[in-house]
Amino acid sequence: MIVGLTGGIGCGKSTVARFFAELGITVVDADQVARDVVSPGTDALKSIKQHFGSQVIKEDQSLNRPQLRQLIFDNHDDKTWLENLLHPIIRKQMLTELDESKSIYSILEAPLLFENHLEAYCAKTVLVDVPVDLQIQRATQRDNADASTIQTIVDAQLPRSAKLEKADYVIDNSGDYNNAKMQVMRLDQILRLLAATEDFT
Ligand code: ADP
């Protein structure tokens, strides 16, 4: 059983994912998979180098992400080309890792779960939720960024209200870490029962 875990930037996804992992649940992080599939030596990185040239490869042979981001920001066709290349590879890798999971259910952690329609793979979805002002405060502190930069990212994501409507379960992360952990422990019990019944579709 795959459980989607999402939430806007700074809402506490990674924190909550860690709590699930501490309970023995496999967590597949979509962002990490997206980085892994373009690591040095991969076919995807070779294709990217062929398409964009060596300007997108750093000296250590890893992908120069800011450079690539800049190039596709300026060119819609290149952005589409890159998405067409990477999305199927990322999806396949994510599903392989979830398939290999040995835990009774597995978490797919993805900031853009709903935006990228990954909920299609999930029996249930969990939203980590905080009010927007707290979200911006925590993300600003974590990333050492200014509030307007974070606000731009928040604005590009699905609004909080839409995510609240779509999610099956909500973890309210406006309290302290311990409070969030308690909610994860409660939800874990529910999800274990659901997975055990094998009637989660
Ligand atoms: P996300 O993965 O959704 O972007 P993080 O889990 O990285 O969010 O959390 C954002 C920041 O807020 C981190 O610095 C994290 O340590 C902090 N944080 C998360 N949950 C809490 C909480 N309940 N109380 C205080 N700080 C928190």
Side-chain angles (χ1 to χ4, degrees), residues 7-16 18 109 128 135 138-139 141-142 173-178 180:
I9 176 173
C11 285
K13 272 177 313 301
S14 317
T15 304
V16 163
R18 202 173 56 243
E109 177 193 353
V128 186
Q135 172 185 15
R138 285 184 182 164
Q141 255 175 15
R142 182 197 58 191
N173 191 27
S174 57
D176 60 16
Y177 288 107
N178 209 37

